[in-house]
Amino acid sequence: MTTERRMLAVGGQDRSEFLQGLITNDVLHLKDGLVYAALLTAQGKYLADFFLLDRGDDILLDAPAAVWDALVKKLKMYKLRSKVTLDEVDVSLARGLGEAPEGALRDPRHPAMGWRAYGTDLTDEDVDWDALRVANCIPEAGVELVPDESFILECGFTRLNGVDFRKGCYVGQEVTARMHHKTELKKGLATVSVEGEAPVGTPITSEGKPAGTLYTQADGQGIAYLRLNRAQGAMEAGEARLMLAA
C-alpha cells in the first residue's frame, strides 16, 4: 500500500513561531534535517502527522492525504492574524533504502525507513514499505493512527522521535505530558506474529476477553493495538492466531 502524500508550504515571517505553538516536536530541530511531528486535538488525541523540511523561505509540510483536509482546516483556524501563508504546492517525493542521493534526508522515525528526497526527478525504490512498517511498528495515518481516537504515546511517537517533552506548550500538550509521566502505559501498538490473516480492524481476543485490534499485516507479522496486560500468550483475531513478536 502506497500512501498518497500532499505538500503544504508554510510561509510568512511568523511561520516558525506559528508551528512551534501547535505541533508536538520542536521546530528548532529543523536545522538538523527532517522533523517528524503531529498536530493534536485539544483533548490530546491525534489529528494528523507529517514531516517538516526547512526550505529557507518556507517550511514544507509533507502530510498523508488521508488527514489533509482536517489538517489544513485546523491550521487555517489557528492562523488568525499571524503573518503566515498556507499554500498547497506540487513537490515530488521519492523514498529509498540504498545509498542516499544528493539532497536526500534521513527519515527521522527509524533508520530502517531509509531516506526521503523532495523536489527531484527520482522515483521510489521498489520496497515493501508496509512490511518495513510492520517489522518496526511504525503506524500509518488512517490505519493505526485514527483521528480523534489515537493517543500518540500509545502509538510510539516517543520512539519515533515525533514528540519533544522539553519544548514549550502546544495543542494537546497537557494530556501528552501527563501520559508521559505515568509509570507505564496500559495500551499501545506492538508488532505481533500472525498465523493466517484477518481484515484490518479485526478485534483481538485473549482467552475470550477483548485484547485489542489488528491492523496492517505483512510477511507473517502485524501491527496490533493491544491491552498490554492481556497480550500474554496466544491471541485470536477472527481466523488468525497471534503472539507478541519476540
Side-chain angles (χ1 to χ4, degrees):
M1 177 180 65
T2 301
T3 302
E4 183 185 351
R5 313 289 297 187
R6 294 173 73 173
M7 307 287 171
L8 187 74
V10 183
Q13 67 184 60
D14 295 341
R15 60 186 180 277
S16 295
E17 293 80 3
F18 170 70
L19 290 171
Q20 185 76 327
L22 296 177
I23 67 173
T24 59
N25 216 330
D26 194 330
V27 298
L28 294 178
H29 297 320
L30 283 169
K31 68 182 186 301
D32 301 319
L34 283 180
V35 168
Y36 181 58
L39 180 65
L40 309 181
T41 68
Q43 294 74 37
K45 295 183 178 181
Y46 168 87
L47 181 71
D49 64 313
F50 38 81
F51 297 93
L52 298 172
L53 170 64
D54 188 347
R55 300 198 300 176
D57 292 333
D58 61 30
I59 296 172
L60 184 69
L61 189 154
D62 163 13
V67 296
W68 178 264
D69 290 343
L71 170 61
V72 172
K73 179 180 179 180
K74 191 66 70 171
L75 291 175
K76 288 181 176 178
M77 183 189 80
Y78 284 127
K79 188 168 77 73
L80 299 174
R81 296 182 182 275
S82 299
K83 294 179 180 178
V84 170
T85 59
L86 302 169
D87 300 300
E88 184 170 7
V89 290
D90 184 12
V91 175
S92 62
L93 166 67
R95 300 180 297 168
L97 302 180
E99 184 177 350
E102 184 177 356
L105 297 161
R106 180 183 61 85
D107 188 320
R109 295 173 298 176
H110 194 285
M113 297 303 289
W115 49 263
R116 304 172 78 87
Y118 295 88
T120 73
D121 57 1
L122 299 171
T123 57
D124 274 3
E125 291 183 2
D126 186 13
V127 173
D128 187 341
W129 295 103
D130 271 347
L132 273 179
R133 286 202 308 105
V134 169
N136 296 287
C137 200
I138 297 174
E140 185 71 68
V143 188
E144 294 85 16
L145 292 170
V146 183
D148 297 310
E149 291 186 22
S150 297
F151 289 103
I152 61 166
L153 298 193
E154 293 182 344
C155 295
F157 269 60
T158 303
R159 172 176 54 84
L160 300 175
N161 301 309
V163 58
D164 188 319
F165 296 103
R166 295 169 296 180
K167 64 166 285 187
C169 294
Y170 55 88
V171 177
Q173 183 263 347
E174 183 177 349
V175 174
T176 305
R178 189 162 62 242
M179 291 183 71
H180 174 62
H181 292 296
K182 282 185 176 182
T183 56
E184 191 174 4
L185 292 174
K186 296 181 179 179
K187 300 177 182 179
L189 293 180
T191 298
V192 294
S193 62
V194 181
E195 183 180 324
E197 58 183 56
V200 168
T202 298
I204 298 171
T205 58
S206 175
E207 297 182 345
K209 297 179 180 179
T213 306
L214 180 62
Y215 291 106
T216 308
Q217 300 147 66
D219 293 345
Q221 294 185 304
I223 297 178
Y225 178 72
L226 297 171
R227 298 187 185 188
L228 300 176
N229 65 337
R230 294 183 181 175
Q232 311 304 316
M235 297 173 282
E236 295 78 35
E239 299 298 317
R241 187 174 178 83
L242 316 178
M243 292 279 291
L244 273 177

